[in-house]
Amino acid sequence: MADTDRDPVELGVELLAHLEHEELTVADALDRIETVTTTPSVQRSILDTAVMRGVVEREDGRIRPTSGGTYVRFDADVVVREGEFACERCGASISTGHFVQFDGGELGPFGSTCVRKVLGRE
């Protein structure tokens, strides 16, 4: 992970705040949160904090973002760098890394397909 000083809870909450779906299953939300952390207690903290702050609503195994339209803009919020990376989502070796810029830190690197999946574009 590019930024070792980032707070995973803050970064995960920001990721949930920028979801581009009207709703997701908790399992699908956790799939995205796994790009921030695979530690179950931290994942639970991310979900709980997002609900407590009103970033998402959680009901009947579904997550619904409340932000409405605060999506990640690829032209402004995703930085592309060349180098030798491993995708944070799938683990594949990549030479072009896509890094999502949030206030709480940087998330990535991701390959071109995985960054779109993490952000809900596919």
Side-chain angles (χ1 to χ4, degrees):
M1 294 184 191
D3 184 355
T4 57
D5 294 331
R6 68 186 183 182
D7 179 349
V9 173
E10 292 301 318
L11 197 54
V13 169
E14 283 191 75
L15 179 61
L16 291 177
H18 290 84
L19 292 177
E20 295 197 20
H21 295 284
E22 289 184 25
E23 69 175 27
L24 292 173
T25 65
V26 171
D28 286 339
L30 285 172
D31 181 55
R32 288 173 173 79
I33 291 171
E34 284 180 347
T35 63
V36 176
T37 181
T38 56
T39 306
S41 62
V42 179
Q43 292 174 341
R44 196 168 27 261
S45 291
I46 290 168
L47 283 173
D48 291 346
T49 300
V51 169
M52 182 181 68
R53 292 184 186 169
V55 171
V56 296
E57 295 174 345
R58 182 177 177 178
E59 185 179 347
D60 298 328
R62 314 278 309 163
I63 299 287
R64 290 176 193 85
T66 60
S67 55
T70 59
Y71 309 131
V72 171
R73 296 173 319 209
F74 271 85
D75 58 338
D77 300 323
V78 177
V79 174
V80 178
R81 296 187 190 117
E82 299 298 321
E84 297 299 318
F85 306 108
C87 177
E88 288 288 333
R89 182 175 180 277
C90 72
S93 294
I94 52 176
S95 58
T96 302
H98 295 78
F99 298 82
V100 183
Q101 307 296 305
F102 290 121
D103 291 339
E106 181 175 85
L107 188 58
F110 301 107
S112 59
T113 300
C114 285
V115 72
R116 297 181 70 74
K117 288 182 180 179
V118 167
L119 297 174
R121 302 273 172 100
E122 286 187 8

